[in-house]
Amino acid sequence: MGCNLRSVVNIGLVIAVIDLLHGIATLAFYGYQLYTHYICHWNHGIRWCRYYVEETNHSTRVNIGLGEGAFCILFASLLIVAFCKYKPWLAWTWLLKAVVVIGINYYFIAVWLMEKSRHYHQFWDRHNYDQDQIFLLAGVGLTLIEHVIMFTYCCVVASFTYKVRKQRVPTMETDI
């Protein structure tokens, strides 16, 4: 009842494309946030806008998020190459990206929740509370998607590695 190598590769390519879309969505979200943070259309003036951008970690998260999106796109591209060229060692390096992305997201979610619990932003207007909520929900959503991709991916890559080693594809044995 097992799948052949071609089926496992196709499933892996679907996961890689989903991860590529995840990276593009991350880059798009944080690119939009970069635009809105530095345009500063809020009604509390330039002085408060600078305070908001410099004192919160939203601007830091936006900058790191842009790097995270580019990092995700790069590793998704490497994952596509790994499945097309039958390179299990390259496919396993994708887990490094997943762990780093999840760690970054957990860190910022924890910091935002601690700041909300201390009423750190209590003097800001409603738009600032909404902005905090957007960042929190985006962080949770991106982390959950990355978890689903990672757990599915581990099963597929384990099967991929087993199938490649079992069939002993000639291009694989000479590259290591």
Side-chain angles (χ1 to χ4, degrees):
M1 279 261 221
C3 298
N4 60 8
L5 181 60
R6 178 47 88 201
S7 300
V8 174
V9 167
N10 289 339
I11 293 169
L13 289 173
V14 168
I15 291 172
V17 169
I18 290 171
D19 188 52
L20 183 68
L21 293 174
H22 176 260
I24 291 171
T26 302
L27 196 61
F29 173 75
Y30 288 115
Y32 176 75
Q33 291 303 321
L34 178 73
Y35 171 76
T36 59
H37 269 69
Y38 291 106
I39 294 297
C40 201
H41 59 277
W42 297 308
N43 57 4
H44 47 65
I46 297 298
R47 181 173 163 249
W48 291 111
C49 187
R50 283 193 185 143
Y51 174 79
Y52 179 75
V53 169
E54 292 170 5
E55 293 297 320
T56 65
N57 58 358
H58 289 180
S59 59
T60 305
R61 181 60 182 123
V62 166
N63 293 333
I64 291 174
L66 289 172
E68 175 187 330
F71 194 61
C72 287
I73 291 171
L74 173 73
F75 269 83
S77 301
L78 287 176
L79 187 58
I80 291 171
V81 169
F83 281 113
C84 289
K85 297 289 185 179
Y86 298 107
K87 306 278 187 197
W89 63 271
L90 186 59
W92 282 108
T93 60
W94 181 89
L95 280 178
L96 173 70
K97 188 271 310 184
V99 170
V100 168
V101 166
I102 288 172
I104 289 170
N105 285 328
Y106 277 160
Y107 169 75
F108 280 104
I109 290 169
V111 168
W112 288 327
L113 288 176
M114 286 187 290
E115 286 177 357
K116 278 181 145 320
S117 69
R118 289 185 295 189
H119 304 289
Y120 181 70
H121 309 295
Q122 64 187 357
F123 64 92
W124 290 350
D125 62 7
R126 181 70 187 156
H127 181 74
N128 293 329
Y129 286 116
D130 292 343
Q131 193 70 15
D132 283 344
Q133 196 67 16
I134 287 170
F135 272 89
L136 188 61
L137 290 176
V140 169
L142 290 171
T143 305
L144 288 175
I145 291 169
E146 191 67 32
H147 272 292
V148 169
I149 293 171
M150 185 177 73
F151 289 132
T152 307
Y153 173 80
C154 285
C155 296
V156 170
V157 171
S159 178
F160 174 67
T161 304
Y162 174 75
K163 298 280 184 191
V164 166
R165 293 298 172 207
K166 183 179 174 187
Q167 290 188 359
R168 299 207 186 275
V169 177
T171 60
M172 300 281 299
E173 299 298 320
T174 59
D175 288 341
I176 297 176

